[in-house]
Amino acid sequence: MKIKQIMTHYFGSLKTTDTLLIAAKLYLENHVVCAPVLQGDSVAGILTLYQLVSKLVSGLSLDAAVEEIMETDITHLWVNEETPFADVQDLPLERLLVHNSAGQLTGILTRLELITAVHDALLEKSNELSTIVDCLHNGIIAVDLDGIVRIFNPAAERITGVAADKVLGRYLAVALPSKQEANLLDVLATGTSEFSASCVFNQTKAICNRTPIVKDGQIIGAVSVLQDVSELEQILKELVAVKELYSELRSVIESSRDGIIIVDAAGTLIRANDSLRRIIRTGADFPLAGVRLCDLPPIITEAGRCNLDLWEVFQTVSLKRDAVTVSARCPSGIELLIMATPVLDDRRESIIRIVFDIRDMTELISLQNQLEKTKREQTRVASEVEILRKKLLTFENYVYQSPEMLRVLELTIRVAQVDSTVLITGESGVGKEIIAKIIHKTSKRKGGPFIQINCGAIPENLLESELFGYEKGAFTGANRDGKLGILEIANNGTLLLDEVGELPFSLQVKLLRALQEQQIYRIGSVKPIQLNVRMIAATNKNLQEMVKNGLFREDLYYRLNVVPINIPSLRQRKMDILPLTLKFLDNCNQKYNLNKKISSEVFDQFESYEWPGNVRELENLVERLVVMSDEDLILPRHLPYYFGSTEPGDKMKLVLSGIIPLKEASELVEKELIQRALSKHGSTRKAARALGVTHATVLRKAHQYNISNYN
């Protein structure tokens, strides 16, 4: 601030010859307390109101001339109007004459004007300081030497939750009863500053910095600056979230299999991932940041230089302000797909980034071809499976419901499509022969013969000739025309070797040779016969255990066990008991022209029974119950004793439902006994011993009564 800004510009002047009355009127009209006295064009002196009044009081007449009482020593009173206010505010003078650079009188500055200017300046500074303090985001609490609150800005109100009019002018400890700022009085008393102190106001966390206010080496007050920590914590959370987002974005970019380049609006490369090196350059010296696209070296892949100009793509995107997709080809045929996408500002007026996505299409094309091939293969397999399932549904004699048998049948259908040797294992009566027939009927050999031979039902001395045949006159008692062997008869078809575990050890080596070489020699012949036979073996014995005990050739076992199919016992698939029973019941009703039914209690006992004879035992038992029960509804009392209907030691009782011929009744009982013996003992020889008859008798009777699937 300069003198000319605070001086009095308009003032009246007096002449040396003017009277004191004229001077008094000048003061009254212009509201001034002094006036310069001119003599011609120059200032001869200065007359103040104080001088005028004091002379009039002493008796001087109003008609006296001004020159008689004016102050003429005025040399030290002159000051330039450009002089700063600070240079004169402390001068011990009551008035000053102000001149310009030309030495001309331009104004008068009195002590009153100085005081007013100082007051206004102080007031202005105070207002500025107050405005600044009120606008501060941090809370400001200031006390004087007596601890009276003098400053309490709006931020302090917000943080402490206390209104300023409740605090200003009051003792701090009383104004803030929570005593959160009690330490400020300690700072005032000790003069020791306190920084980063934690305090809480109405659940608002704050950091307080408290310092004494010192002037001329003396403490005149203290001030506390409050920083709302909750805001800092929020900022910190946002910062952590931004860092996590940045880290996540960086991880996403780096984990991408595509090469990614990010450039700014000028085409300067900001970021690129490591996949870019893998796709477009073999070395690690390719620049990934800080260069312009136009300065990048040519893109080189493992296949050679690529006809890709990223700068040209950048210019196209910048011009179109839209995404661009181009492709580039390498000499070896490798193709790159480049997708460049602009990123616009919030107002969508200008491009701030362009993101390049460089993808090696060679791998994707290869994967697409593989996928199409896989789809075609799946379609073909699904079609074949559907056809095979439809074929499976045509086997009316095979009934199943359990998932165990579903897996067996699916394996059966699959293995039927190839010519691999199959070994079917399982307990007696589980249905090994039926599985073998399904394999044959669903295979490519279905037009050929299906021959089966029970290796345990033919005497050992006849089994070789049955299998391999013989020439005429080969041995005593031989047919004079010779005989075809079963292997030869099964040519271009399927041969089932049932109970292969009963095959004599001496024949096992010949069978092995026939399997391996697909040719045989008839007994008594040296001429080989070429075969084309699919071999299926079945047994209820543990061949692996027999191999360990030396009862079965190991090489033949592995030759037969190419594709093993194990049929679970009926007790392992009890879900099949009900549908099988209903099927057998329906067959018997049709066979004997009856309409028998089975009670639910019988079904319950069926499902709790162990079925040592498996499906064969179930089929025979159903026929027995249908034939021998005297009621249309088969009840638990009609069941054999081992089901709990009679004591185990009791003799089996026959229940007759009517009169039938004795021969027919005898045949029914005989058939039942043979079936039970075969189910219980597992082989025809053991059954024969239990029944007290010869082995041949059991074979003949089983054939007579059409008892199939015996071992």
Side-chain angles (χ1 to χ4, degrees), residues 369 371-381:
N369 293 336
L371 179 61
E372 291 177 355
K373 182 180 179 181
T374 302
K375 286 183 177 179
R376 290 194 298 269
E377 185 68 17
Q378 287 179 341
T379 302
R380 183 187 65 79
V381 171

Side-chain angles (χ1 to χ4, degrees), residues 396-556:
E396 298 179 356
N397 292 329
Y398 207 87
V399 178
Y400 70 94
Q401 190 174 354
S402 64
E404 293 84 3
M405 284 310 299
L406 176 61
R407 287 191 290 269
V408 170
L409 290 174
E410 288 179 344
L411 176 59
T412 300
I413 295 301
R414 286 199 300 272
V415 77
Q417 309 311 304
V418 295
D419 264 350
S420 300
T421 303
V422 179
L423 177 61
I424 304 174
T425 58
E427 296 180 3
S428 177
V430 293
K432 297 187 288 294
E433 179 185 345
I434 295 178
I435 293 295
K437 289 180 179 179
I438 291 177
I439 293 176
H440 173 72
K441 290 181 180 180
T442 56
S443 71
K444 298 177 182 179
R445 298 176 178 270
K446 60 184 178 181
F450 176 80
I451 307 298
Q452 70 179 97
I453 180 172
N454 191 318
C455 299
I458 301 176
E460 184 177 340
N461 57 342
L462 298 178
L463 185 57
E464 182 179 2
S465 61
E466 289 292 325
L467 284 173
F468 298 98
Y470 56 86
E471 295 291 339
K472 59 182 179 179
F475 52 85
T476 302
N479 189 306
R480 62 182 182 178
D481 295 326
K483 181 181 179 181
L484 295 177
I486 289 177
L487 284 168
E488 194 173 347
I489 295 173
N491 209 7
N492 296 319
T494 304
L495 173 63
L496 170 61
L497 293 174
D498 199 6
E499 285 307 319
V500 71
E502 301 287 345
L503 189 70
F505 203 83
S506 59
L507 288 181
Q508 292 180 18
V509 65
K510 294 191 67 174
L511 179 63
L512 175 63
R513 187 180 301 114
L515 283 171
Q516 291 176 338
E517 301 176 3
Q518 282 289 301
Q519 66 178 17
I520 61 171
Y521 293 87
R522 292 180 184 173
I523 298 175
S525 174
V526 294
K527 180 181 178 181
I529 299 174
Q530 200 66 32
L531 297 179
N532 181 17
V533 177
R534 197 237 181 104
M535 197 76 67
I536 300 177
T539 182
N540 62 357
K541 296 184 179 297
N542 188 336
L543 293 186
Q544 196 169 11
E545 191 67 27
M546 293 179 66
V547 169
K548 292 181 181 179
N549 296 331
L551 301 176
F552 200 85
R553 291 184 63 93
E554 184 177 14
D555 48 4
L556 178 59

Side-chain angles (χ1 to χ4, degrees), residues 214-317:
V214 180
K215 182 179 181 181
D216 298 331
Q218 299 294 322
I219 296 176
I220 63 172
V223 63
S224 177
V225 180
L226 308 179
Q227 172 68 53
D228 191 344
V229 177
S230 59
E231 295 179 353
L232 293 177
E233 290 177 347
Q234 182 62 31
I235 293 174
L236 180 61
K237 289 180 181 179
E238 292 178 359
L239 179 60
V240 171
V242 169
K243 287 184 177 180
E244 291 177 351
L245 183 60
Y246 173 77
S247 177
E248 182 180 350
L249 179 60
R250 183 175 59 184
S251 299
V252 169
I253 292 176
E254 289 298 332
S255 63
S256 173
R257 291 279 297 172
D258 295 351
I260 295 177
I261 300 176
I262 303 175
V263 300
D264 61 16
T268 302
L269 197 146
I270 298 174
R271 175 181 293 278
N273 64 352
D274 287 338
S275 295
L276 183 67
R277 301 184 191 274
R278 174 180 56 82
I279 294 176
I280 67 175
R281 195 172 181 88
T282 57
D285 58 343
F286 189 83
L288 295 184
V291 297
R292 299 190 71 194
L293 291 180
C294 58
D295 297 329
L296 286 178
I299 292 179
I300 301 175
T301 67
E302 294 182 2
R305 183 163 177 165
C306 187
N307 62 337
L308 172 62
D309 189 343
L310 292 177
W311 178 250
E312 182 179 345
V313 177
F314 168 81
Q315 289 179 314
T316 303
V317 174

Side-chain angles (χ1 to χ4, degrees), residues 21 29 56 68 70 120 152 182 215 239 307 412-413 418 432 438 460 495 580 605 607-608 661 670:
L21 178 61
E29 291 174 358
L56 291 175
E68 296 181 17
M70 69 179 182
D120 292 343
F152 199 82
K215 182 179 181 181
L239 179 60
N307 62 337
T412 300
I413 295 301
V418 295
K432 297 187 288 294
I438 291 177
E460 184 177 340
L495 173 63
L580 285 170
Q605 294 203 31
E607 290 183 349
S608 62
E670 195 172 50

Side-chain angles (χ1 to χ4, degrees), residues 146-368:
D146 297 324
I148 304 301
V149 180
R150 297 304 179 187
I151 298 176
F152 199 82
N153 69 346
E157 291 183 285
R158 172 174 51 81
I159 295 174
T160 63
V162 180
D165 58 359
K166 303 292 185 182
V167 178
L168 290 173
R170 301 180 64 191
Y171 186 59
L172 178 63
V174 177
L176 293 177
S178 60
K179 300 187 184 301
Q180 289 291 346
E181 278 299 302
N183 289 349
L184 184 59
L185 298 178
D186 295 337
V187 171
L188 181 64
T190 63
T192 303
S193 300
E194 183 180 14
F195 299 103
S196 301
S198 177
C199 53
V200 180
F201 299 96
N202 293 329
Q203 299 182 348
T204 299
K205 295 180 181 179
I207 296 296
C208 304
N209 294 320
R210 305 180 180 99
T211 57
I213 302 173
V214 180
K215 182 179 181 181
D216 298 331
Q218 299 294 322
I219 296 176
I220 63 172
V223 63
S224 177
V225 180
L226 308 179
Q227 172 68 53
D228 191 344
V229 177
S230 59
E231 295 179 353
L232 293 177
E233 290 177 347
Q234 182 62 31
I235 293 174
L236 180 61
K237 289 180 181 179
E238 292 178 359
L239 179 60
V240 171
V242 169
K243 287 184 177 180
E244 291 177 351
L245 183 60
Y246 173 77
S247 177
E248 182 180 350
L249 179 60
R250 183 175 59 184
S251 299
V252 169
I253 292 176
E254 289 298 332
S255 63
S256 173
R257 291 279 297 172
D258 295 351
I260 295 177
I261 300 176
I262 303 175
V263 300
D264 61 16
T268 302
L269 197 146
I270 298 174
R271 175 181 293 278
N273 64 352
D274 287 338
S275 295
L276 183 67
R277 301 184 191 274
R278 174 180 56 82
I279 294 176
I280 67 175
R281 195 172 181 88
T282 57
D285 58 343
F286 189 83
L288 295 184
V291 297
R292 299 190 71 194
L293 291 180
C294 58
D295 297 329
L296 286 178
I299 292 179
I300 301 175
T301 67
E302 294 182 2
R305 183 163 177 165
C306 187
N307 62 337
L308 172 62
D309 189 343
L310 292 177
W311 178 250
E312 182 179 345
V313 177
F314 168 81
Q315 289 179 314
T316 303
V317 174
S318 300
L319 182 63
K320 294 179 59 177
R321 294 169 54 82
D322 199 0
V324 172
T325 300
V326 296
S327 60
R329 180 179 292 274
C330 297
S332 66
I334 294 178
E335 289 191 3
L336 300 178
L337 183 67
I338 299 91
M339 293 164 283
T341 305
V343 179
L344 304 179
D345 59 13
D346 293 339
R347 293 181 294 180
R348 305 189 64 81
E349 293 180 354
S350 58
I351 295 175
I352 58 175
R353 296 286 187 273
I354 294 180
V355 180
F356 290 82
D357 187 295
I358 302 177
R359 180 172 299 173
D360 185 354
M361 295 301 294
T362 309
E363 183 178 355
L364 292 178
I365 293 173
S366 175
L367 291 174
Q368 184 178 8

